[in-house]
Amino acid sequence: MHTNWYKNAIVYQIYPRSFKDSNGDGFGDIKGITSKLDYLKELGVNCVWLSPVYDSPQEDNGYDISDYYNIYPPFGTLDDFKEMLSEMHKRGIKLIMDLVVNHTSSEHKFFKDAISSEDSKYRDYYIIKRGKKNGQKPPTNWGGFFGGSTWERIGDTDKYYLHLFAKGQPDLNWENPEVRREVVNILRYWLDMGVDGFRCDVINLISKKQDFRSRFPTIALCGKDAFINGPRLHEYLHYLYTEAYANYDTMTVGETALSKVKDVKKMVDPKREELDMVFNFDHTDSDNFFGVKYLYRKFNLKRFKKRLSKWQYELEGCGWNSLFIENHDQRRSSGRFNTRTDKLKFVSASSLATSYFLLKGTPFIYQGQEIGMENADFNDLDDYKDVEFKNMSAMVKKNFFYKLLIGKHLKDVARDNARTPMQWDGSEYAGFSNVSPWININKNKDYINVEKALSDENSLFYYYKKLIDIRKYFPSIIDGKYELLLKHDKNIFAYKRKLDNEEMLIISSFTGKVIKQPIDLAGYKLLLSNYQGNVNNILKPYEARIYIKDNK
Ligand code: ISL
């Protein structure tokens, strides 16, 4: 029943509210996605990860679910969903959905019932504790992912509910077996409909230490040892596997921010039957301190390589990696990781793409990444809509210490940077919609758009397409061992992938300068480069090359 198709998957992430609006309300929808499947087919991906489309009050753009069995009406209907799924399958594209089960929305009927009375059948579905000082103070000093306390008082009672994210995202109590059973029902419902797997949102947070006591104060995420990689996490993951995934040919990828490789090894060891792979953020955090994106730190290639390589080496033979440089929570990679938005844009973006795409694991492309979409960079702070941004800006306004520490970078790291509408063409609303959309379109839509990319055979789009072809063709890219070269070089990311006689050599320059190319290329044949006319011992600005050698 269970195959390893996830190893051959090339995944495209769709953030539905910003992908394509089909009915002129300025908001992306499911029919819009269906209308663009031929575009995905042309790119060559064979799987889509769809960010949440379930019914939701949208406080956190759908990561706050009020009904797991229905679609948010502005996205369309269940019939639209089934049609999209069948059109994907016709094109050989699988679909993994976002599974958000660390928390529900506060509008979910279970939560509404739970807080309506101490005797509610659903009271124990959530984490509700008595506050300190007769309910005047929260039960603990824990700090949440979007800033502020993790506790919200229930009316004027002395009780508080736990929410690691926004107030409208109460955490579920996984200690309660009925909660776990309900999650299995949700999984089976979508799997029975034909969905191929799940991206499991913040799945490393579902098990909490049960002491519920305060911790030594820290600037961010105080108390995190109580909720990251909790004591029963592996047990819960295995339960979902045996009760749901085992009966279907699924792919699962868990989001595990701030988990360490040693914790993840157990989650992705196939023998333990938990998850197929996880998203870790060590490499995307290489331009900040302590995994806190507001604490900006200059990008450093050695650190980036070291972090990626650590996961490559540590999971070799015992688990699988996911590979990504963008998603809906990260700012755009264009202009990040030493890449450029000037005339070196194409070479720098394609060099970065080469470096991550041919590592061992399943690659993900976030919508718009393939055409080099850039940060929103709005002038007016009111144009940012994200709940995280609003909470953090409010904190910065209120607190001088925060202003000093993080105020400067708020806009650079805003999640809306990657959430502006997909730029299909250069028309007034970028071909996304025929009315003004829910969030502004990037000013650069005239020259960065799909229509332009498709009409230029040297575009980033076609470069990604070639990388995808290479992944599909050469077995060493799927199963070959990884070997980092030039570990101490601060400008070049180079590595080998080896399987039996087949050996691939990948070289990516991360600098705008012309530099020496130090690797002996004897016996290698050039497969792809982002320049024409390569000179063996010289690398042009951001030059990338992929070589093959047959050791027979
Ligand atoms: O975006 C982040 C910080 O800016 C991350 O810490 C993020 O909150 C974390 O990776 C969890 O993300 C996921 O769960 C959140 C949701 O807001 C994100 O969009 C989702 O990817 C809560 O469901």
Side-chain angles (χ1 to χ4, degrees):
M1 208 50 181
H2 229 80
T3 66
N4 285 346
W5 66 266
Y6 65 85
K7 293 193 176 178
N8 297 304
I10 296 149
V11 190
Y12 189 89
Q13 184 194 349
I14 292 183
Y15 196 64
R17 55 164 58 214
S18 298
F19 192 62
K20 172 72 187 164
D21 170 21
S22 74
N23 62 353
D25 59 1
F27 192 82
D29 48 52
I30 290 173
K31 276 186 184 302
I33 298 173
T34 309
S35 73
K36 292 295 184 187
L37 294 179
D38 286 334
Y39 169 72
L40 299 187
K41 181 85 191 141
E42 169 66 14
L43 178 59
V45 297
N46 53 21
C47 184
V48 162
W49 152 24
L50 181 61
S51 279
V53 290
Y54 313 90
D55 206 1
S56 155
Q58 303 285 325
E59 182 174 349
D60 187 17
N61 294 0
Y63 283 88
D64 47 328
I65 300 171
S66 53
D67 180 353
Y68 289 83
Y69 300 96
N70 274 305
I71 304 288
Y72 177 53
F75 282 137
T77 62
L78 269 174
D79 283 337
D80 296 340
F81 181 87
K82 288 177 189 161
E83 189 198 1
M84 173 189 73
L85 182 58
S86 124
E87 290 300 317
M88 284 180 173
H89 286 166
K90 269 189 214 158
R91 289 168 179 77
I93 298 175
K94 300 201 188 249
L95 175 66
I96 64 171
M97 288 183 87
D98 223 305
L99 176 76
V100 189
V101 289
N102 172 66
H103 43 267
T104 68
S105 158
S106 53
E107 293 296 307
H108 193 288
K109 61 178 188 222
F110 293 169
F111 185 73
K112 289 211 260 190
D113 199 286
I115 56 165
S116 69
S117 137
E118 301 252 347
D119 307 320
S120 160
K121 165 174 177 328
Y122 297 104
R123 191 79 173 175
D124 195 36
Y125 275 47
Y126 293 89
I127 301 172
I128 296 175
K129 301 282 166 203
R130 176 168 287 116
K132 285 186 184 154
K133 306 224 154 90
N134 286 331
Q136 295 307 305
K137 291 233 162 198
T140 71
N141 65 347
W142 298 355
F145 282 81
F146 295 161
S149 169
T150 57
W151 297 99
E152 182 68 11
R153 194 167 175 178
I154 303 176
D156 54 8
T157 69
D158 61 353
K159 300 285 175 7
Y160 288 70
Y161 69 86
L162 182 80
H163 62 93
L164 295 182
F165 293 89
K167 281 184 195 147
Q169 293 168 300
D171 280 53
L172 281 164
N173 176 20
W174 278 69
E175 298 282 321
N176 180 347
E178 284 171 42
V179 166
R180 306 200 290 271
R181 181 44 49 193
E182 182 61 32
V183 173
V184 167
N185 292 343
I186 296 167
L187 291 172
R188 286 179 164 258
Y189 172 82
W190 293 100
L191 290 167
D192 284 338
M193 207 183 287
V195 159
D196 302 287
F198 295 92
R199 173 268 187 188
C200 311
D201 190 64
V202 292
I203 204 72
N204 58 341
L205 307 182
I206 58 178
S207 161
K208 276 92 179 169
K209 279 189 189 155
Q210 296 295 301
D211 57 11
F212 296 102
R213 55 174 180 76
S214 289
R215 300 295 197 268
F216 190 77
T218 51
I219 333 173
L221 290 177
C222 177
K224 67 176 188 234
D225 73 283
F227 48 77
I228 298 180
N229 305 315
R232 296 181 70 185
L233 175 61
H234 296 290
E235 173 197 334
Y236 296 158
L237 291 174
H238 183 63
Y239 172 79
L240 297 184
Y241 185 95
T242 47
E243 295 296 310
Y245 309 140
N247 306 300
Y248 305 82
D249 194 12
T250 53
M251 154 172 166
T252 52
V253 45
E255 189 204 25
T256 57
L258 303 172
S259 286
K260 303 264 184 307
V261 71
K262 69 169 181 2
D263 310 310
V264 167
K265 264 186 178 171
K266 286 167 89 179
M267 298 180 209
V268 298
D269 176 351
K271 291 195 291 296
R272 296 176 52 93
E273 303 183 320
E274 296 184 14
L275 294 166
D276 292 324
M277 68 191 98
V278 305
F279 290 123
N280 90 78
F281 298 88
D282 274 4
H283 63 299
T284 50
D285 283 333
S286 57
D287 55 10
N288 67 48
F289 288 101
F290 318 121
V292 180
K293 65 179 179 179
Y294 305 99
L295 303 179
Y296 178 77
R297 182 184 198 185
K298 196 171 177 304
F299 177 78
N300 168 309
L301 180 67
K302 270 162 80 174
R303 188 160 51 234
F304 186 67
K305 292 196 289 196
K306 189 173 165 192
R307 293 184 175 196
L308 281 169
S309 301
K310 179 173 179 176
W311 285 80
Q312 291 285 303
Y313 282 119
E314 295 260 348
L315 293 191
E316 176 61 43
C318 72
W320 195 249
N321 270 296
S322 73
L323 311 170
F324 71 98
I325 49 172
E326 289 192 14
N327 69 28
H328 64 291
D329 294 332
Q330 299 279 324
R331 59 194 187 279
R332 290 287 184 180
S333 64
S334 191
R336 192 180 179 190
F337 309 121
N338 262 11
T339 67
R340 305 269 284 258
T341 52
D342 60 9
K343 63 182 195 316
L344 293 174
K345 181 180 168 81
F346 167 76
V347 278
S348 61
S350 50
S351 182
L352 173 67
T354 308
S355 72
Y356 94 94
F357 215 79
L358 302 178
L359 293 169
K360 189 165 189 170
T362 298
F364 289 72
I365 298 174
Y366 176 64
Q367 68 184 44
Q369 176 188 327
E370 76 283 12
I371 56 165
M373 276 180 64
E374 293 176 3
N375 284 346
D377 196 21
F378 299 138
N379 292 328
D380 189 345
L381 292 190
D382 289 337
D383 287 337
Y384 293 88
K385 313 278 184 207
D386 181 20
V387 57
E388 179 192 61
F389 184 83
K390 290 190 171 148
N391 286 0
M392 295 308 286
S393 329
M395 273 174 60
V396 162
K397 266 193 204 133
K398 268 204 307 233
N399 183 316
F400 184 70
F401 173 67
Y402 277 113
K403 185 173 180 164
L404 214 65
L405 198 68
I406 68 177
K408 219 166 72 199
H409 298 296
L410 266 191
K411 187 173 137 166
D412 296 343
V413 297
R415 303 194 296 180
D416 282 339
N417 277 321
R419 298 177 179 182
T420 59
M422 182 72 183
Q423 291 158 212
W424 296 101
D425 60 38
S427 63
E428 187 174 7
Y429 302 113
F432 165 73
S433 177
N434 50 19
V435 298
S436 175
W438 70 274
I439 190 168
N440 290 349
I441 290 167
N442 197 305
K443 300 179 283 287
N444 60 27
K445 59 146 172 70
D446 294 344
Y447 55 94
I448 299 178
N449 63 58
V450 168
E451 194 177 57
K452 263 201 160 5
L454 291 178
S455 65
D456 171 7
E457 57 176 318
N458 295 315
S459 67
L460 187 60
F461 176 91
Y462 288 113
Y463 193 84
Y464 267 106
K465 194 172 156 66
K466 285 177 198 155
L467 290 176
I468 290 172
D469 286 344
I470 288 179
R471 280 200 76 96
K472 287 182 178 165
Y473 194 80
F474 295 99
S476 61
I477 296 299
I478 308 296
D479 287 315
K481 276 202 171 147
Y482 168 85
E483 184 188 330
L484 179 68
L485 306 175
L486 311 177
K487 183 174 165 194
H488 300 292
D489 194 298
K490 61 183 192 340
N491 294 318
I492 303 172
F493 189 175
Y495 58 89
K496 285 184 185 171
R497 300 292 313 280
K498 283 189 205 164
L499 182 73
D500 304 326
N501 295 327
E502 190 176 284
E503 180 176 320
M504 311 281 284
L505 168 63
I506 290 98
I507 306 178
S508 299
S509 164
F510 275 65
T511 172
K513 295 190 200 111
V514 175
I515 53 173
K516 205 169 148 273
Q517 192 295 109
I519 299 169
D520 177 7
L521 298 173
Y524 287 104
K525 211 172 93 203
L526 186 68
L527 257 184
L528 179 66
S529 165
N530 58 355
Y531 275 95
Q532 280 161 11
N534 310 87
V535 182
N536 274 2
N537 59 353
I538 285 196
L539 285 176
K540 300 191 186 99
Y542 299 101
E543 183 165 350
R545 301 184 201 168
I546 301 162
Y547 288 97
I548 181 148
K549 186 176 186 178
D550 188 347
N551 288 324
K552 245 188 268 170

